[in-house]
Structures are given as structure tokens and as C-alpha cells.
Amino acid sequence: MLSRNIRLLSRRYSQAVTFRTTESSPTQQNENQVGLFYTMNNDVCKQLFAHGGLPKSFMKQTKTFTETALMVRLPALDIIDCIKVTDLNKPVVRYVLYGEKGAGKSLTLAHLLHFAHEDGFLIVHIPWVSDWLRRLPRDKEMSNSQSREGFVDIPLDAAAWLLHFKMQNQVLLKTGDLKTSKEYVWSKRESTPAGAPLAELVEHGIARVKYACDVIDVLLKEIKLLSNAKKCKTFVAIDGFNSFFYPLTRLSTPTKKKVAPEEVSLTAPFMEITKNDWTNGAIVVTTDQLAVPEDRQENYLPKYLLYQKGFEHLDPFVPMEIGRYTEREFLSCASYYRDRLWLRGPPELESELKLASACNPYNFMELCAPL
Amino acid sequence: MNSIRYKLSGVTCSVLQAANFRPAYIQCRLYSGPTSFPDFFKNPIFRKEEQAKLIEINELSKLAISPVKPPGVSETSSVYYDPLVNKLINHVMKMGKKQLARELVEKAFENVKRIQIERYHLASSAEAKAKIILNPKDILHQAIENCRPLLQLLPIKRGGIVYQVPAPITEKRSLFLAIKWLLDATNDKERTIHFPQQFAWELLDAANNTGKVVKRKQDLHRQCEANRAYAHYRWQ
């Protein structure tokens, strides 16, 4: 009887401790850590996600839990392993993350970004494409492009993105190895000479918001050239990529004409960088139902969400489904929530929540909220 | 629409009778209101604990042969079922939009929980931490307990003058008043603050024995105290 009690106790104890791993570097994580949470360093988190990148509901959780903890999941590990063994002299490989709403695509992307940061990649990351094309706050600025006829600029968003880029790559930009290949003339008095560091280009875009869109165009071309020349390796991460292929955006020109995504000047450079005509990098994009309006949310598969056009643009790519929690992941998540005081009550609660949430991570989090 | 429903259900009932069924046994929810079941129908016992209790005292076999009303949609045997929360949701509900009401109440619970967890992390010593109630449902129970009035004022006419006479209050009415006052206090808010946020604050205040609602209760008690000279009008 006593030994049985001890055994039960120890089992409970072991269940209570195995939801966390101390391995906080994604480069070192392996299959043993699947389903466990690792805590991200606050400084790294601030550097990578200060200007977006983590979903809003998750940001709320990090504040309540007083830490940023991500679960190590199999799809992320698979992609990390693939990137590690890829021959970087070959054309870039494109990975497409897809899955149901709330399955954890954005957080998997965040995990991959952390890996790329640790591994010394230059990061080109769009936190959420729909913020540019579909979100219309009152101070959204739209103007006709000066440099290219018939295009629409969103200068404030572009400048914000440049700030994000500068923040994420502050270490690499500081070293000053990355230099422009030719001279760019912005106006009569302003120009960027050939051989200037990329940081100067970025600074120019932030300071002169009017040229921010053109700076992004030039910057991405330069990054491609630099990667080809083996000066740096580049990691492109775009969340909600299918938003680029929905026929209409919610933007309008000053003459109230509806704008298609191809007519936004920011679309073209990111289309260029997601082609596989360059080497020494990796591209991870997500396709998300939430990135497009409700009339295009019937299915979560990439072919449906990307339309024919986007599918052909990305083809060939490696699809990676982000699924619901497995048994083990669910248990570990539940014990993590218990540890963080988010979930309390009798142990039968878990089985009920499991049924009610259907193991969908977001639904599980929401169902725990009022308990 | 209602008349059609009645007709429909009437038709179904007669058909069933013709087929030698007892319509009373059919859980027919087409009738509106509680009148659809005759008085001898027992209330459903849908909680596992209560069923276990019945089995213990051998009452279940008696119940098994008597007709029972079907339980409502919200009356479940779930682990997180709470009759008081159900009651509260019904009070918040307007125009029969129960799902919206439930979402609002749950959102308020979430806000309460976030505030309490934040306090828990800020608390310095272990004793201070142990004092903080983290369960939002416990907070609700505590808040409603603190808001319940012990007396009420009844208007009674004696000699052409209406006196406010203090009188004892039933358990049910005091619960009603507590919930009503909480919601009144919540709805008296700025337009820009949302219901769940304000309700969370009111709950926390009331659980802490401070705030608008507790003050309203104390005002009522004070009024009762002031009018104690009229108390005999209740029976004279």
C-alpha cells in the first residue's frame, strides 16, 4: 500500500515537472524536447518582437505569465533540421506553414525566427501582411508613388517595417560588412553612394518617410545580391503571405479607386525575394485563413488560400502542416497553465477541456480563461 | 408564430395519443414556458454528486418511475458548472441573447483572473500571496455574499401616510437585489469602458467589501435603522 502511494506520488510529481525544458537555444533542441516549453530571453524577445510578430492574445498571456515561453513542436524542429542540413549554395528552399485557425502557425514562425537569430541569419520578417493591406486605422497614409507610375505607397507602414528590420538585425548591421553595390539617387540633393553600409540606407528610409517604399525595394535587392555573394545568409519570414494574393485590398487611391495588391509598391519587392532565383538563405511563409476576408476562409489548405497565382509563384515548396495538440503536448500545456495559475480545479477538468477545445491550442487557451 | 407552434405541438400530441403513446413522456420543447409540464413532473437531477447522494439514501428507485422534466440547455454535469454563475448570466441577458451574456460574464471572469494573478506575482511575502483569491468564481461568491442586504423597506400605508417600514428579507430576494445592484453599478459607467472591464472592477471591489454596491447596501441598512420606529406598522 505504502509503495503504491509512493509510486503514485512520484508519478504525479514527474508529471508536474516535465512541461519545461532548460534548453533555451533553438539550435540545440531535439526530439526529446517535443511538447516542452522553453523560456525566451527577455532581451532577445524585445529585439525580435518589439514591433510585432507575436499574436496579440499571446502578448497578453506573456504579461500575465511574466515570461515568454514557447512550446517546442515537431513542425518547427523539422524545419530547423532541414535548414541545418540544406546546402546553401543551392537555390533557396521555401517552406509553407499551414493549418487551422489557432493551431500555432505564428508561434511556430516565432520559434523559427528565434532559431534564425541564434544561427546568425539576416532576418527579413513581415509580422502580419494584412496590417499593410487590410487594416485601415484612421491615420493610415496612402499616396501615389513618385518613382513608379500607377503604384500606391504606404509610407508610414514602410518606415515602421524598416525600424522593425533595423531592430531585428542591429548586430549584423553594426558590423558594417554589408555594403550597397551601386549609387542610388533619391532626389537632387539626396543620394546614397555605392559602398555605403546598409544601415545608412535603412536610416535614410526612416528619416525620409517619403522614400521608405523605394528604400525597401532597393534594400531587398541589395540583400539578394549580398546573399548571392556569400556576405550574409538570409532568413525570410512572412506571416499571412496569402494576403498578397487576395484580389482586392482595402486601400484606395486619393481618387477613391480600389487598389489591387499588385498595385501596392511594397508587394513587388517581397514577391521578388520569395522567388527561388537566389542562394544562401531560407524562406518560411505562412498561409492563414485570418489574413483574408471571410468569403475566402472555407479551407485552410495552401492551394485554396494562395489562389492559382500564388501557388505557382511559390511552387516548388515544402508544405508543413501545423496540427492540433497531440496527447503529450496537451498534457504538458495543461500542466504549464496550472503552473502559471491560469488553470485550476479538479483533474477531471483536463479531459473535459480536451473534448471541448478539440485540442486546438487557441481554443484551449480561451476555454481556460474564465476558470 | 406562437399559435402555429401550439397547433403543431397539438397535432403531434394527438398523433402520438392515437399511436397509444403517453405524450407526457416525450420531451416536447415546442411549448413555451414552464406550463408545458404538469405539476407531478419532477425537476431533473443532472449533477453526478446529487445522483450519488440519491443512490446512497435509496431514493433513486422512487424517482425512476415518475416522469421528469428535461434539463435546460445550460444545466449540465460539467465540472465547471455553477448555479450562481448561471443565475448571473440570466440576469445579464437581454432580449434572449444568452450566448452574448455568457461571453460577457466569462470575459469579466478573465479580467478578474488577470488582475488577481498580477497581484499575486507582485505580492512580496508568501502570506500575502496566500491571501489572494485567484479563482474568479470564488470572487463572485464572495462579492454577492457581501452585497446581500439583511433588511428591506416596505411601503405601508397607515392613516393616509405611506411609511417606509423595515422588514426582514427572504433569501431569494436578497440574492436578486445583490445581483441587480451589481449590474446597476456596472452599467453606470463611461461609454468607452466596456462591460466586462467595469464588471470585473465592481466584483473585485465588492469582494473586498468596498465600492458602490456595498455602500448602497449599507445605506439601506442605515435607512432601516433610522425607520425602526415604524417597525410596528408591519403588524398593526
Side-chain angles (χ1 to χ4, degrees):
Chain A
M1 189 65 197
L2 187 71
S3 69
R4 187 160 154 261
N5 276 348
I6 288 172
R7 204 167 64 233
L8 278 178
L9 245 178
S10 63
R11 192 182 299 157
R12 182 169 296 166
Y13 180 69
S14 67
Q15 262 180 7
V17 286
T18 49
F19 61 86
R20 215 185 259 283
T21 169
T22 48
E23 188 56 74
S24 63
S25 161
T27 47
Q28 306 296 323
Q29 282 159 0
N30 54 31
E31 256 83 54
N32 295 334
Q33 274 120 10
V34 171
L36 305 185
F37 284 84
Y38 79 95
T39 312
M40 213 190 264
N41 189 347
N42 265 345
D43 295 335
V44 175
C45 186
K46 206 174 262 177
Q47 190 187 335
L48 284 176
F49 306 115
H51 298 277
L54 296 174
K56 210 171 161 191
S57 50
F58 186 77
M59 288 305 285
K60 232 179 176 179
Q61 295 296 68
T62 57
K63 194 171 162 255
T64 310
F65 294 173
T66 60
E67 62 172 11
T68 313
L70 288 178
M71 187 193 271
V72 182
R73 296 187 70 188
L74 206 55
L77 282 186
D78 281 349
I79 292 184
I80 288 174
D81 285 343
C82 283
I83 292 175
K84 270 184 197 161
V85 297
T86 309
D87 181 6
L88 288 177
N89 295 319
K90 296 273 161 40
V92 287
V93 183
R94 290 171 290 191
Y95 303 91
V96 174
L97 307 180
Y98 69 99
E100 287 176 353
K101 287 180 200 171
K105 297 176 288 294
S106 298
L107 287 181
T108 306
L109 196 68
H111 188 184
L112 291 173
L113 273 174
H114 189 196
F115 159 76
H117 175 76
E118 295 265 309
D119 213 30
F121 278 94
L122 184 78
I123 296 170
V124 177
H125 170 222
I126 306 182
W128 189 237
V129 177
S130 296
D131 276 353
W132 293 351
L133 303 183
R134 304 211 61 82
R135 211 169 141 251
L136 284 182
R138 202 162 287 168
D139 56 346
K140 184 100 163 179
E141 201 166 300
M142 292 163 269
S143 58
N144 284 329
S145 174
Q146 307 267 314
S147 52
R148 275 175 300 167
E149 200 59 45
F151 279 81
V152 174
D153 272 351
I154 32 175
L156 288 181
D157 292 283
W161 186 81
L162 282 173
L163 207 62
H164 182 57
F165 177 80
K166 189 179 126 190
M167 191 82 174
Q168 284 190 327
N169 301 302
Q170 45 187 247
V171 181
L172 278 176
L173 288 179
K174 229 172 251 168
T175 53
D177 292 340
L178 309 172
K179 295 203 167 62
T180 54
S181 59
K182 59 179 182 186
E183 188 183 5
Y184 295 101
V185 180
W186 307 108
S187 67
K188 250 186 233 167
R189 290 188 203 87
E190 292 162 300
S191 70
T192 309
L198 276 194
E200 202 182 307
L201 199 67
V202 174
E203 280 298 332
H204 179 258
I206 295 166
R208 298 281 293 137
V209 175
K210 194 179 158 192
Y211 299 114
C213 288
D214 299 329
V215 167
I216 289 182
D217 191 13
V218 166
L219 181 71
L220 293 188
K221 270 180 200 156
E222 288 296 333
I223 287 173
K224 246 177 159 181
L225 288 177
L226 287 167
S227 308
N228 276 336
K230 306 277 176 289
K231 292 269 175 53
C232 64
K233 46 182 185 174
T234 309
F235 183 84
V236 180
I238 300 177
D239 202 353
F241 186 67
N242 52 327
S243 201
F244 279 131
F245 297 101
Y246 188 77
L248 268 187
T249 66
R250 292 178 68 188
L251 308 176
S252 57
T253 56
T255 54
K256 304 284 176 214
K257 193 178 139 286
K258 294 269 194 232
V259 179
E262 303 88 51
E263 292 165 345
V264 180
S265 54
L266 281 182
T267 308
F270 286 102
M271 286 295 118
E272 274 304 307
I273 205 157
T274 46
K275 281 181 186 164
N276 63 347
D277 56 356
W278 54 289
T279 60
N280 208 3
I283 300 174
V284 182
V285 301
T286 69
T287 59
D288 202 324
Q289 278 165 300
L290 294 171
V292 287
E294 272 173 14
D295 62 325
R296 198 65 188 176
Q297 295 192 0
E298 284 159 29
N299 198 337
Y300 63 84
L301 297 172
K303 177 122 190 230
Y304 173 77
L305 284 175
L306 285 168
Y307 289 81
Q308 190 67 26
K309 198 174 137 215
F311 193 81
E312 275 164 13
H313 174 82
L314 280 182
D315 203 42
F317 61 82
V318 182
M320 188 64 78
E321 178 167 8
I322 317 290
R324 300 173 178 180
Y325 280 148
T326 60
E327 185 89 1
R328 192 174 157 203
E329 283 171 337
F330 185 86
L331 271 182
S332 125
C333 186
S335 38
Y336 175 68
Y337 283 165
R338 275 189 191 277
D339 175 63
R340 294 284 102 196
L341 307 167
W342 189 241
L343 179 64
R344 78 181 68 70
E348 304 96 72
L349 209 59
E350 258 107 327
S351 55
E352 202 172 312
L353 284 171
K354 193 169 165 189
L355 277 173
S357 68
C359 284
N360 181 305
Y362 179 77
N363 286 354
F364 178 44
M365 191 178 86
E366 287 290 287
L367 281 177
C368 290
L371 295 180
Chain B
M1 189 63 207
N2 256 343
S3 63
I4 296 170
R5 274 189 185 172
Y6 276 112
K7 263 181 213 162
L8 266 181
S9 51
V11 167
T12 46
C13 283
S14 60
V15 166
L16 291 173
Q17 271 165 347
N20 206 5
F21 269 108
R22 281 175 66 189
Y25 278 103
I26 307 296
Q27 295 188 352
C28 180
R29 293 223 127 222
L30 285 171
Y31 292 107
S32 65
T35 51
S36 60
F37 294 99
D39 287 344
F40 58 87
F41 270 58
K42 295 274 186 324
N43 281 329
I45 291 157
F46 50 90
R47 299 294 294 171
K48 272 183 194 160
E49 306 93 73
E50 285 168 23
Q51 286 169 4
K53 232 182 265 168
L54 280 181
I55 290 171
E56 233 169 61
I57 55 170
N58 284 328
E59 288 278 313
L60 195 70
S61 50
K62 280 182 205 163
L63 266 180
I65 49 164
S66 68
V68 177
K69 289 182 212 165
V73 180
S74 54
E75 295 172 333
T76 63
S77 59
S78 159
V79 182
Y80 38 82
Y81 170 83
D82 190 335
L84 186 65
V85 174
N86 249 356
K87 189 66 148 174
L88 178 73
I89 289 171
N90 287 347
H91 275 270
V92 172
M93 176 166 71
K94 282 178 188 167
M95 308 285 289
K97 289 189 264 187
K98 189 152 187 168
Q99 182 160 5
L100 177 66
R102 206 181 70 213
E103 276 165 22
L104 288 172
V105 170
E106 286 182 349
K107 199 86 197 152
F109 282 167
E110 183 187 338
N111 289 335
V112 167
K113 197 163 143 188
R114 281 190 199 278
I115 293 171
Q116 291 298 85
I117 290 179
E118 202 167 315
R119 276 187 197 157
Y120 182 88
H121 286 308
L122 280 178
S124 47
S125 63
E127 296 122 51
K129 279 187 180 184
K131 262 186 201 162
I132 295 171
I133 310 172
L134 286 166
N135 192 346
K137 276 176 191 158
D138 289 352
I139 297 247
L140 175 76
H141 282 266
Q142 180 90 50
I144 285 185
E145 210 45 55
N146 289 345
C147 294
R148 278 185 165 200
L150 302 170
L151 290 166
Q152 64 181 341
L153 287 172
L154 294 176
I156 292 177
K157 200 169 176 180
R158 289 284 179 271
I161 300 166
V162 179
Y163 295 100
Q164 296 293 330
V165 178
I169 193 168
T170 58
E171 197 76 342
K172 204 177 167 188
R173 171 130 181 106
S174 74
L175 175 67
F176 166 74
L177 281 180
I179 296 178
K180 181 171 171 283
W181 288 350
L182 271 172
L183 291 180
D184 280 352
T186 310
N187 286 328
D188 177 25
K189 61 179 171 54
E190 291 282 311
R191 201 172 52 82
T192 45
I193 295 173
H194 294 197
F195 176 88
Q197 190 64 56
Q198 183 72 29
F199 190 51
W201 289 334
E202 292 298 336
L203 280 183
L204 284 171
D205 270 351
N208 196 23
N209 231 341
T210 53
K212 275 187 274 181
V213 186
V214 172
K215 186 167 173 293
R216 190 166 174 183
K217 181 191 84 174
Q218 286 164 349
D219 282 349
L220 178 69
H221 286 173
R222 210 167 293 133
Q223 190 74 28
C224 289
E225 184 71 32
N227 288 4
R228 64 189 289 183
Y230 303 146
H232 62 281
Y233 284 138
R234 213 153 49 82
W235 58 84
Q236 274 177 7

